[in-house]
Amino acid sequence: MDLLALADFTLVARHGGFGRAARASGRPKATLSRRVAELEADLALRLFERGARVLTLTEEGRALHERAGALLTEIDEAAAAIAAGGARARGRLRISAPLLFSQIAMGKVAAGFALKYPEVRLSVTTEDRAVDMVEEGYDLVIRVNPVPEEALVGRIFLRDRMVVAASPGLTRPAQGDYAPAVVRSEERAVWTLADGASLAVAPVLVLSSLVMIRDAVRTGLGAARLPVSLVAHDLAAGRLVSWGDVAGSDIALWALYPSRRLLSARVCAFLDHLRETFPTGEPEELAAYVAE
């Protein structure tokens, strides 16, 4: 497989079109189109559905983009580390991380990194908003299902999914009845499950934190949509039961940084630390890490 053609494909997929990819990279649109067509011919697969105005990934294209993007990022990271001449990780490292991951795991992750790299002055800020890395001086950000940005690159290091969890003493309602629910929004809603079933819910408590919601659900007050990583041990111990996976609730945690080029040794070191801490990136791995 032509790695340059693969890189062009991931560029187009990331930007959602040949024109936007051409403008972002400064490369001719016709060249990108030709390279992607050659890759499709080599693979004997259609990677994009080409409409008059819209370019969308096929199922095969989505699978290739996810896997190839991570592979190309790792190649770039390795090249950057080699180019840095094996420089030691040192200096200030500022990271922004989302609230839930920070509450359940970031303290332990950060402490482990600090022990391995005592010359790095690590500073972690917890916030769910999309910070401006350049303007606010961050070296790396951790984001949940981020919207693609031209200026940022990175890799997925953890995956999760949402389940509807409830106390064993709470009876799942019959079709058409409302289930009491602990939620983030007061509006009545219908939750669609991965198996096609649906649950009508009526909020009985509104909380802003998923950790608080989990704790409230344990009391038997109502059901809630919660990440597997947050309730895996409760499910295994029988404190909670699952009413099913939430449809379309796949979660990906990304480590993002401004550029693949000239990546600092301290950022490379933190990316390596994440990879070593979560080698499989599965929800159960995060749950086990938190419980240690």
Side-chain angles (χ1 to χ4, degrees):
M1 185 183 297
D2 187 338
L3 285 180
L4 293 178
L6 192 60
D8 286 341
F9 159 72
T10 59
L11 177 70
V12 174
R14 185 167 71 247
H15 292 286
F18 291 104
R20 286 191 288 271
R23 288 190 293 274
S25 64
R27 302 187 60 204
K29 178 180 176 181
T31 299
L32 294 176
S33 180
R34 176 175 56 82
R35 300 283 288 178
V36 169
E38 290 172 352
L39 180 61
E40 288 180 317
D42 288 342
L43 296 174
L45 290 172
R46 182 181 291 277
L47 301 174
F48 290 106
E49 294 292 351
R50 295 163 173 82
R53 293 175 177 267
V54 179
L55 187 75
T56 58
L57 286 164
T58 63
E59 183 177 349
E60 294 81 6
R62 283 193 296 273
L64 181 62
H65 178 226
E66 181 176 304
R67 294 168 184 167
L71 174 62
L72 291 170
T73 297
E74 290 193 16
I75 292 173
D76 286 332
E77 290 171 2
I82 293 171
R88 288 187 303 177
R90 62 176 69 184
R92 187 183 185 192
L93 177 62
R94 293 194 69 219
I95 295 175
S96 172
L99 178 62
L100 179 60
F101 180 71
S102 297
Q103 286 177 325
I104 66 174
M106 195 60 187
K108 188 175 176 181
V109 170
F113 178 81
L115 288 170
K116 284 198 292 187
Y117 300 97
E119 294 184 77
V120 177
R121 299 188 306 278
L122 177 59
S123 173
V124 179
T125 301
T126 297
E127 49 199 339
D128 284 330
R129 69 183 180 89
V131 301
D132 186 316
M133 291 189 64
V134 177
E135 290 292 328
E136 299 179 52
Y138 286 102
D139 301 290
L140 183 143
V141 297
I142 295 173
R143 290 183 183 168
V144 178
N145 293 345
V147 175
E149 294 185 33
E150 295 181 4
L152 299 182
V153 294
R155 61 187 298 271
I156 298 172
F157 69 94
L158 269 177
R159 296 187 181 279
D160 212 337
R161 67 184 186 278
M162 303 289 279
V163 297
V164 176
S167 167
L170 186 67
T171 302
R172 179 171 173 168
Q175 191 72 23
D177 292 338
Y178 284 93
V182 184
V183 298
R184 285 177 153 182
S185 171
E186 293 188 20
E187 295 182 6
R188 289 198 174 197
V190 175
W191 295 343
T192 303
L193 303 183
D195 62 5
S198 60
L199 287 169
V201 299
V204 294
L205 181 62
V206 181
L207 298 170
S208 63
S209 162
L210 288 174
V211 173
M212 289 194 294
I213 290 175
R214 189 268 320 269
D215 292 346
V217 169
R218 284 173 173 170
T219 69
L221 179 66
R225 292 180 294 185
L226 290 164
V228 169
S229 61
L230 192 59
V231 296
H233 289 288
D234 290 308
L235 295 174
R239 290 186 294 269
L240 295 176
V241 295
S242 172
W243 288 357
D245 289 358
V246 177
S249 66
D250 291 343
I251 299 168
L253 269 72
W254 287 73
L256 300 169
Y257 41 91
S259 174
R260 287 192 181 107
R261 296 183 178 181
L262 301 178
L263 201 60
S264 71
R266 56 188 177 274
V267 172
C268 286
F270 192 83
L271 291 170
D272 287 342
H273 181 60
L274 286 177
R275 190 161 35 235
E276 293 164 5
T277 304
F278 306 109
T280 70
E282 294 301 316
E284 293 76 13
E285 186 174 55
L286 175 57
Y289 179 78
V290 172
E292 289 177 354

